[in-house]
């Protein structure tokens, strides 16, 4: 789209910001006399010190964290008697009174009991400010980095397989590849389903970066994958993550939050001398076999043409590998065991008024494809400043620079993977490595700069009043350069593309909270606030064709093209929330968000979009009638609405300039829709969380049901309107519903010989309820949005979002669809437009287990199963329909050549005989299991004099997998030409995500 929507920020915003800053900066202390609190936090059972415990002086912004020995020092504490609180991950919270005198240290020791559900843990996401978990009526998934044993590859990996309701699917084995994240399925058909991302309260970009492809020509001339902005955050800087998964919990985020919210909280400084942490990671990536399990040596004597040309004469080839072996689909010469390395250092400390955390890292990760490499450097500085009593200023800033080189891959006729897979039927007409090597002259480089900064003022003039304002700024920019130099095999005269893209998100967020004790047992917390978000995206691109040798600039090209895109979106809103608490066990929350957005149609621009919220929580185990033997139990329920705004120009009439009869004319692009508004997702959920068996078993269960009304669907327009294309309209209704269950059991509680088990169960049933008069349409490829079918008997069949629909081979006896392992023989019976099932998993199972051994040795394993979904295999369909001898047909070819094809299954007859083959036949059930983590951690501080702690961790990620036998080649965690941005998951000519093996040394001193 060309053009822009430019609107100035409201004038009051600048004045309000200046006023708030002056108020905070001019505040004066109420008490100049201070003292110190010092002490230690230990495990009540074992007496072991607890590191990273949070110490807080209630009613102030003063606090500290414990060191590796469990000790802490809280400085600058006003004199008098204070309630001091200690909390740590995996333990119950403890509060005690401490008397502080002027200039004198007060000592206190905290003994914390282990706890699995932690009802008094503080959460932030989905609430107006901080809240204890016991008061929250919706489920919140927390990921605490201190509990993770493995050295984490990226933030995508942190989320993968750890929380029920969170689906993280990788895209490919390319360097810099981003993952697709879904929280409780797809809530939109037309818009992005990636959740919103916040870092330290600052809204950042969540959708993937642009694909590195020229602005003209076929969109597949690329590495055909995209990077994720989420992975610009260094995992070593993260303290914890919080995930809320639906509209019942995201109301306060307004018209863009129905797909869920992920909040990242980075590490903070602590009072005391600087504490340094150094980490060194070394390892490698390895591609596991992804071809069919066939005996190629048994079939090759009768059909050497099945194999690459080098096979009959050279069994190992000049690369020292076996290109004859189809277990890697003949791409072995261009794969490698890729080295990865990372070096990190951080320091945390501070004094009475200033606390700091600073960190930096550098990593160099080779990809398994021969050209792939990602180099990344990042730095972070987090500063907490307390200039006066009750005023705290936090400034969090990070900068990341990434440089990515990608191999030309995917559905790219000028790339390595497609031509290696198709062998002598490829675009070079030969499978010889010397010829395919020429495609490596395609140079694809992406440089990404990411700067995120946020300043938060917290002012608590009294114990019951808090005001907070956050100013956030996120700038993501990339330079995408693609060169096919003079002499390139398929563009002899050379092509050069250079693009400069940037996205800036500015946020102002204000919150006020007033806590009132209405009676001895009744407390009321009223919150109010507002938010303004401005997102500005620009791109300037150049393209040059016919480039002279040696000159790599667009200015030297004989043909030059330029392009420019600009978009600006503004969102603003306000909210109110009231939390009523009775006896600290009954909680009722009411909330309301009102929003405007600059992308809405003109007819509703002035109409405030309202999103209500209601939730309740009941800690039934605090009742006097509850038997102590039954443990802690909290019942909860929530109802809420959130939205998804349309795209920048979806409501606008747009035009394109074209040549016509030697003159310039206008061609309609988008007809526009003045009544276009947000999709509105309404969700209710209820469940419980409890701790049983004396604190050794925790269980959490949730049922959710969400419905998106006013869903944006493509609707055909009358040609008389001057447009042939479809127009987005708010006409549809879709639904997601299911269960989430998570459990943890401490089988053996002994710290020197312990065993913990955990599991998650997640189901999702998505349905299209109503198309609103729109016809059935394709989201992308074989992914369809279909209306419900009603049988003659009145039974209604609903279809998924999206439903995979394609031509298929069926068994006429029972109309069952035939797949790769089917045994039905005889004349193939085909059927048009079969409905296979959903594209996203309907069942996800997770398990984790940890063994604690003597001498602080720990062994951890974590696995994940995803199933119930279907994926089309575009790489195989492109091969079989082009008469490529495809590896999963190797054992069928001798039978076909002998004229005995009728003895083969109908699926093999239809797929392996080119005259019968259709691309739709390669649709598979995509069930799989992967061992996400296997790690062994043991102490090494005994060998490192002067260190406080030292650990060595050996880990393997995705080192084992099981895939449904009906999925004969590749990997279900592969995607098409747009990677994580693809609305429908489908296979393309990529390589799968690799297994990763890492040795990590971490030392603190």
């Amino acid at each position: 789209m060309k053009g822009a929507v430019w609107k100035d920020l409201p004038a009051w915003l600048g004045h309000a910001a200046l006023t708030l800053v002056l108020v905070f900066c001019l505040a004066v202390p109420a008490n100049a006399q201070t003292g110190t609190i010092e002490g230690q936090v230990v495990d009540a059972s074992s007496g072991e010190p607890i590191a990273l415990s949070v110490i807080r002086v209630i009613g102030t912004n003063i606090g500290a964290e414990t060191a590796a020995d469990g000790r802490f020092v809280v400085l600058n504490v006003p004199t008098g008697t204070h309630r001091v609180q200690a909390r740590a991950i995996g333990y119950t919270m403890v509060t005690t009174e401490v008397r502080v005198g002027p200039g004198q240290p007060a000592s206190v020791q905290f003994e914390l009991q282990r706890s699995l559900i932690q009802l008094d843990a503080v959460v932030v996401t989905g609430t107006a400010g901080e809240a204890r978990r016991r008061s929250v009526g919706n489920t919140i998934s927390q990921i605490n980095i201190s509990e993770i044993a493995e050295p984490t590859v990226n933030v995508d990996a942190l989320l993968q397989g750890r929380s029920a309701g969170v689906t993280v699917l990788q895209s490919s084995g390319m360097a810099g590849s981003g993952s697709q994240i879904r929280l409780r399925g797809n809530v939109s058909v037309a818009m992005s389903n990636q959740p919103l991302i916040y870092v330290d309260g600052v809204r950042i970009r969540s959708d993937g970066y642009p694909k590195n492809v020229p602005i003209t020509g076929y969109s597949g001339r690329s590495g055909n994958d995209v990077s994720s902005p989420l992975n610009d955050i260094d995992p070593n800087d993260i303290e914890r993550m919080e995930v809320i998964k639906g509209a019942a919990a995201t109301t306060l985020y307004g018209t863009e939050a129905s797909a869920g919210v992920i909040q990242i909280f980075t590490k903070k400084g602590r009072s005391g001398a600087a504490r340094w942490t150094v980490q060194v990671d070394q390892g490698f990536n390895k591609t596991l076999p992804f071809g069919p399990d066939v005996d190629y040596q048994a079939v090759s004597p009768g059909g050497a043409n099945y194999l690459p040309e080098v096979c009959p004469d050279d069994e190992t080839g000049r690369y020292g590998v076996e290109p004859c072996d189809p277990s890697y689909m003949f791409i072995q010469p261009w794969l490698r065991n890729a080295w990865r390395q990372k070096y990190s250092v951080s320091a945390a400390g501070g004094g009475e008024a200033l606390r700091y955390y600073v960190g930096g890292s550098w990593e160099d990760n080779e990809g398994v494809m021969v050209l792939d490499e990602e180099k990344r450097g990042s730095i972070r500085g987090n500063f907490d400043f307390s200039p006066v009593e009750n005023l705290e200023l936090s400034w969090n800033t990070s900068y990341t620079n990434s440089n990515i080189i990608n191999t030309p891959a995917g559905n790219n006729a000028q790339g390595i993977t497609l031509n290696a897979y198709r062998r002598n039927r490829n675009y070079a007409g030969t499978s010889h490595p010397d010829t395919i090597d020429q495609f490596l002259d395609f140079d694809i480089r992406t440089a990404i700069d990411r700067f995120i900064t946020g300043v938060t003022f917290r002012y608590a003039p009294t114990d019951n009043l808090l005001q907070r304002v956050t100013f956030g700024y996120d700038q993501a920019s990339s330079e995408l350069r693609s060169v096919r130099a003079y002499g390139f095999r398929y563009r002899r005269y050379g092509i050069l593309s250079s693009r400069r893209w940037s996205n800036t998100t500015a946020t102002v967020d204000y919150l006020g909270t007033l806590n009132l004790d209405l009676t001895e047992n009744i407390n009321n917390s009223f919150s109010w606030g507002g938010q303004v978000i401005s997102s500005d995206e620009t791109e300037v691109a150049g393209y040059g064709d016919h480039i002279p040798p040696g000159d790599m600039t667009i200015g030297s090209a004989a043909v030059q093209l330029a392009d420019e895109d600009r978009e600006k979106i503004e969102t603003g809103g306000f909210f109110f929330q009231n939390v009523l608490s009775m006896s600290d066990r009954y909680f009722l929350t009411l909330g309301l968000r009102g929003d405007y957005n600059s992308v809405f149609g003109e007819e509703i621009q002035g109409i405030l979009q309202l999103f209500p919220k209601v939730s309740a929580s009941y800690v039934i185990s605090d009742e006097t009638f509850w038997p102590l033997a039954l443990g802690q139990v909290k019942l909860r329920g929530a109802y809420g609405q959130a939205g998804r705004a349309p795209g920048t120009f979806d409501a606008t009439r747009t035009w394109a300039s074209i040549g016509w009869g030697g003159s310039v004319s206008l061609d309609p692009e988008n007809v526009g829709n003045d009544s276009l508004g947000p999709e509105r997702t309404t969700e209710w959920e209820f469940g419980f969380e409890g701790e049983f068996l004396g604190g050794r078993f925790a269980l959490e269960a949730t049922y959710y049901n969400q419905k998106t009304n006013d869903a944006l669907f493509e609707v055909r327009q009358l040609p008389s309107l001057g447009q042939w294309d479809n127009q987005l309209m708010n006409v549809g209704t879709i639904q997601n519903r299911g269960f989430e269950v998570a459990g943890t059991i401490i089988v053996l509680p002994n710290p020197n010989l312990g065993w913990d088990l955990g599991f998650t169960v997640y189901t999702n049933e998505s349905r299209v309820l109503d198309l609103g008069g729109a016809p059935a349409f394709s989201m992308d490829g074989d992914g369809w949005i279909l209306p419900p079918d009603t049988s003659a008997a009145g039974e209604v069949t609903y279809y998924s979002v999206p439903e995979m629909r394609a031509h298929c081979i069926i068994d006429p006896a029972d109309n069952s669809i035939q797949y790769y392992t089917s045994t039905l023989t005889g004349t193939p019976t085909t059927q048009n437009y079969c409905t296979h099932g959903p594209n996203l998993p309907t069942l996800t199972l997770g398990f984790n287990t940890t063994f604690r051994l003597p001498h602080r040795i720990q062994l951890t394993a974590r696995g994940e199963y995803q199933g119930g979904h279907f994926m089309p295999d575009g790489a195989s369909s492109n091969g079989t329909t082009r008469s490529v001898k495809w590896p999963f047909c190797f054992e069928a070819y001798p039978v076909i050549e002998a004229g005995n094809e009728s003895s083969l299954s109908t699926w093999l007859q239809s797929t392996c005989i080119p005259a019968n083959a259709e691309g739709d036949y390669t649709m598979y059930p995509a069930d799989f299991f992967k061992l996400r983590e296997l790690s062994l951690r043991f102490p090494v501080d005994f060998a490192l004099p002067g260190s406080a702690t030292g650990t060595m961790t050996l880990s393997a990620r995705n080192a084992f997998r099981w895939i449904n036998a009906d999925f004969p080649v590749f990997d279900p965690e592969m995607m098409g030409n747009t990677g994580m941005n693809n609305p429908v998951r489908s296979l393309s000519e990529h390589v799968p995500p690799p297994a990763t093996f890492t040795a990590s040394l971490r030392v603190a001193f």
Side-chain angles (χ1 to χ4, degrees), residues 305-510:
N305 60 325
Y306 307 169
L307 308 175
E309 295 173 30
V310 296
C311 288
D313 301 320
D314 186 356
E315 278 291 319
T316 60
R318 63 185 177 84
Y319 291 88
V321 299
E322 260 190 61
C324 305
D325 185 352
S327 62
Y328 284 91
M329 297 295 290
F330 310 113
I331 203 169
Q332 296 98 313
W334 300 278
L335 292 177
R336 62 183 177 184
N337 291 336
W339 190 257
R340 56 184 302 115
Q341 54 186 324
K342 181 176 181 179
Y343 308 90
S344 305
V345 61
S346 65
E352 294 186 4
L354 177 66
R355 296 167 300 282
Y356 61 87
Y357 169 87
V358 292
S361 67
W362 180 83
E363 54 188 306
D364 182 1
N365 300 321
E366 293 180 340
V368 291
M369 294 292 293
V370 66
L371 295 181
D372 272 32
E373 185 173 22
E374 179 182 23
K375 293 184 178 180
R376 174 177 293 163
S378 68
I379 55 174
R380 169 171 290 278
N382 293 346
F383 303 92
D384 296 294
F385 180 48
S386 303
V388 294
E389 183 185 350
N390 298 329
L391 172 64
E392 182 178 11
L393 183 154
S394 298
W395 179 27
N396 301 328
T397 302
S398 67
Y399 170 74
T400 304
N401 173 260
S402 303
N403 289 278
I404 302 170
I405 302 174
N406 282 136
T407 306
N411 189 14
N412 182 357
Q414 298 175 22
I416 289 292
T417 50
L418 181 148
N419 286 284
Y421 293 156
R422 298 186 189 177
R423 304 186 305 289
N424 62 331
R425 301 287 297 182
N426 61 20
Y427 286 90
T430 175
S431 62
H432 200 283
D434 289 341
T435 300
I436 296 181
D437 272 350
Q438 297 178 47
F439 293 105
L440 297 177
D441 294 334
F442 196 151
D443 190 19
I444 304 170
R445 297 173 184 263
T446 303
I448 300 173
D449 287 297
R450 188 74 179 277
F451 176 71
I452 303 172
T453 188
V455 179
T456 298
F457 297 89
R458 296 179 183 87
Y459 181 50
T462 64
D463 288 349
N464 64 342
L465 176 62
L466 169 68
Q467 296 187 79
R468 185 194 72 196
V469 62
T470 298
F471 300 91
Y473 181 81
D474 170 33
Q475 183 178 56
S477 61
S478 63
E479 180 179 4
L480 305 99
R481 192 169 174 85
S482 173
V483 179
R484 282 162 279 177
Y486 184 90
F488 183 73
R489 181 178 180 90
Y490 282 99
R491 296 303 295 256
R492 292 294 185 187
Y493 300 106
I495 286 178
L496 190 150
S497 170
S498 182
R499 300 165 56 189
R500 299 288 181 94
W501 172 92
S502 69
N503 178 272
T504 300
T505 302
T507 308
V508 179
D509 193 329
Y510 168 76

Side-chain angles (χ1 to χ4, degrees), residues 158 263 343 348 362 562 607 625 887:
L158 277 178
Q263 284 234 49
Y343 308 90
W362 180 83
I607 302 176
F625 63 74

Side-chain angles (χ1 to χ4, degrees), residues 126 138-139 183-184 187 244-254 256-261 591 593 611-615 638-644 679-685 704-709 736:
N138 54 266
T139 179
L183 308 180
R184 294 181 176 171
V187 295
I244 53 177
K245 292 163 280 192
T250 61
T251 293
L252 299 187
Y253 298 90
E256 298 174 288
S258 59
V261 176
R593 167 85 181 206
F611 301 95
K613 167 186 177 179
V614 180
S615 70
Y639 165 90
Q641 292 184 348
R644 205 61 165 171
E679 301 177 307
R680 185 177 295 270
T681 300
T682 301
E683 180 183 61
W684 57 272
E685 66 170 60
Y704 66 91
N705 190 320
Q706 59 181 210
K707 183 185 295 185
T708 300
N709 295 303
N736 286 285

Side-chain angles (χ1 to χ4, degrees), residues 150-197:
E150 64 176 316
T152 308
V153 176
N154 52 38
V155 180
D156 285 346
L158 277 178
L159 290 166
Q160 197 167 47
R162 298 187 191 276
S163 301
V166 180
T167 302
V168 181
L169 292 161
Q170 297 170 272
S171 296
S172 77
M174 305 292 289
S177 176
S179 297
Q180 186 185 81
I181 302 174
R182 294 290 180 267
L183 308 180
R184 294 181 176 171
N186 289 325
V187 295
S188 179
V189 169
M191 311 313 299
S192 170
N193 284 286
Q194 291 285 110
L196 296 185
I197 308 295

